[in-house]
Amino acid sequence: MEAADFFRVSECKGQKTIDGEQVPLVLAPSDEGAKGNGCEALVEALRANREWVEGKVVANSGVLLRGFDVRDAVEFNAVVEALGWPDIRYVGPAPRTHVHGRVWTANEGPLEEFIYYHHEMVLIKEFPGKVILFCEVPPPSGGETPFVPSFRVTERALEEFPETVEELDARGLRYTFTALSKNDTKSMRGRGWEDAFATSDKAEAERRARALGMDVEWLPGGGGVRTVLGPRKLTRVFPGRKGRRMWFNTVVGMHGKELSSATLADGSEIPADFVRRCGEIIEEESIQFRWEKGDILILDNLATLHGRRPSLPPRRVLVATCK
């Protein structure tokens, strides 16, 4: 089955054109309303056109599959498997629950909170190449998953702060994050270290942390841990993405927060006005659309930051992370 015979390019509100490409690229059934356009047919088409789909994800930074009547985690998992990208286990602070196969809940933190823009697992040695999101229950209001073409942030930061950007890239960044032992679903960063490292043994947790490129400091009282990561670059360039410098960091999201910090590698402070302005740039460059039931959004995690707008319940968005 040829891609052109099954997919047609559509549109969604909030879409942008960047360097001549639609972001996200919206793919809908070529013959909308026909019986052969459901999940089973989508799985077959994706399996037959894996290279074509991956090329679109890289070229457009994100692909939105809409109108294919994907209904639940089982069918979403079939879509993920059809794409053929290997699984990668999530490591990070977000509380999540396994649902089916390679499918997990997205961040289970309170819906009224904004989850800040980030590249998934940006600070870990091995991070996903793709993040795939599925809307099972669209929220009645809010709850969008905004995302940002990462290179645009670097471009604009270089225009306004060329010396600071180059200095931070050259000197490197250091991050810390504090986690308790058990999960706290009342916090969007409430994943406990026992869940994150899949062990309650501190020595084993330390070993697994080092394998991921982080050091750990056990806090007094025996319950919590501070993870230390660095040095890390401010920007990165990945193959096949036009030599673009991606804003591959989490400075804005972690700088000066209660449970986290972002500094230069030697511990000196990052200028607050630089962090504030970069946050404004990220928001100005963001792209968002209203979730519809059955939507599947495939993001190039090397090229996009993503977040979550505050939402009224109910909202159920599931996720799979791939190499």
Side-chain angles (χ1 to χ4, degrees):
M1 180 188 300
E2 295 294 328
D5 295 331
F6 186 78
F7 298 105
R8 66 177 176 87
V9 175
S10 185
E11 297 178 345
C12 69
K13 188 175 181 181
Q15 210 173 21
K16 292 185 180 180
T17 300
I18 300 174
D19 287 357
E21 301 287 353
Q22 288 183 322
V23 184
L25 176 68
V26 182
L27 296 179
S30 58
D31 187 8
E32 198 163 2
K35 290 183 178 180
N37 286 330
C39 181
E40 187 175 341
L42 173 63
V43 166
E44 182 182 340
L46 293 174
R47 188 178 291 119
N49 295 280
R50 287 174 174 174
E51 291 186 8
W52 181 84
V53 173
E54 178 156 23
K56 295 299 182 184
V57 173
V58 172
N60 298 74
S61 299
V63 170
L64 176 62
L65 301 173
R66 172 167 283 179
F68 296 99
D69 194 30
V70 180
R71 293 171 293 185
D72 55 29
V74 174
E75 294 189 346
F76 174 47
N77 187 71
V79 170
V80 173
E81 294 285 7
L83 289 164
W85 301 317
D87 188 36
I88 184 168
R89 185 179 185 275
Y90 172 73
V91 177
R96 294 182 174 180
T97 301
H98 180 247
V99 181
H100 176 82
R102 293 171 58 178
V103 177
W104 294 69
T105 58
N107 192 317
E108 294 178 356
L111 288 177
E112 64 269 19
E113 294 187 24
F114 175 50
I115 297 175
Y116 198 71
Y117 301 97
H118 59 284
H119 291 270
E120 201 69 41
M121 295 165 53
V122 62
L123 302 181
I124 308 301
K125 280 186 175 179
E126 186 178 18
F127 39 80
K130 314 289 189 304
V131 174
I132 312 175
L133 297 150
F134 164 62
C135 182
E136 187 174 21
V137 180
S141 177
E144 297 89 352
T145 299
F147 62 97
V148 180
S150 194
F151 80 97
R152 288 289 300 139
V153 184
T154 307
E155 285 183 347
R156 293 187 57 187
L158 279 167
E159 290 171 0
E160 297 188 32
F161 303 94
E163 294 180 358
T164 303
V165 170
E166 300 299 0
E167 180 186 3
L168 267 60
D169 235 353
R171 295 175 63 182
L173 305 170
R174 178 180 185 266
Y175 301 93
T176 67
F177 182 79
T178 300
L180 299 177
S181 59
K182 304 297 183 183
N183 289 348
D184 176 13
T185 56
K186 295 180 180 179
S187 170
M188 63 183 182
R189 288 182 171 178
R191 193 182 192 198
W193 66 262
E194 293 183 19
D195 185 18
F197 295 123
T199 181
S200 58
D201 181 85
K202 290 185 176 181
E204 180 62 18
E206 289 183 14
R207 187 191 68 79
R208 295 180 183 183
R210 286 193 295 271
L212 294 167
M214 64 178 76
D215 295 320
V216 298
E217 300 172 358
W218 298 104
L219 301 180
V225 64
R226 179 182 294 111
T227 57
V228 183
L229 303 99
R232 296 286 190 272
K233 299 283 287 181
L234 183 75
T235 68
R236 290 189 61 169
V237 177
F238 295 100
R241 288 157 180 85
K242 302 180 180 180
R244 292 167 167 170
R245 286 176 71 177
M246 304 301 182
W247 187 256
F248 210 72
N249 66 77
T250 185
V251 166
V252 178
M254 292 182 68
H255 182 267
K257 301 298 189 293
E258 182 180 359
L259 296 177
S260 66
S261 69
T263 65
L264 287 165
D266 61 7
S268 55
E269 286 296 320
I270 300 170
D273 61 334
F274 171 77
V275 177
R276 177 192 56 77
R277 179 59 187 141
C278 289
E280 293 173 349
I281 290 170
I282 290 170
E283 187 59 55
E284 290 165 5
E285 292 294 330
S286 67
I287 298 167
Q288 66 182 30
F289 60 91
R290 291 282 299 148
W291 280 116
E292 295 182 6
K293 182 176 176 58
D295 280 351
I296 294 176
L297 177 64
I298 308 171
L299 291 176
D300 180 357
N301 189 50
L302 308 185
T304 57
L305 307 107
H306 69 278
R308 187 195 72 189
R309 298 282 187 211
S311 167
L312 292 176
R315 178 189 190 271
R316 184 170 170 86
V317 173
L318 306 178
V319 64
T321 46
C322 309
K323 293 182 180 179

